[in-house]
Amino acid sequence: MRSRIKGALSRAKYAAVGAAVGAAVGGLVSRNAASTGGALGGLAGATLADLRSGADGVFAEFRSGGDDADDANGSDDAGATIELADE
């Protein structure tokens, strides 16, 4: 439970920093750009936090080398190929 709270706070921290940076950059252009920059910065910060969070992150199957992405019978649907029958 403690690690889940710690992960959530980490994501919130990255999202807040990303939103602040995005709003500051967008604020140099206009108010509307500041709002949009804040939203996009928050999204980027939360995504970065998920990437850094370890094996529980959004892209965990890409980090693990694909071993965890296999289903119960050992096949991987992402790399499925079609075999043609010999005639």
Side-chain angles (χ1 to χ4, degrees):
M1 182 68 174
R2 181 178 225 173
S3 65
R4 294 180 85 180
I5 292 172
K6 186 177 178 183
L9 289 176
S10 174
R11 281 192 301 275
K13 179 179 70 171
Y14 276 97
V17 170
V21 170
V25 171
L28 297 174
V29 178
S30 69
R31 275 189 207 169
N32 289 337
S35 175
T36 303
L40 293 176
L43 180 64
T47 303
L48 179 65
D50 265 348
L51 287 173
R52 293 178 53 96
S53 68
D56 294 356
V58 173
F59 301 106
E61 76 178 50
F62 296 116
R63 286 191 195 172
S64 67
D67 291 340
D68 296 334
D70 293 345
D71 59 2
N73 63 5
S75 67
D76 186 10
D77 291 338
T81 59
I82 298 173
E83 295 182 20
L84 299 175
D86 293 330
E87 292 184 22

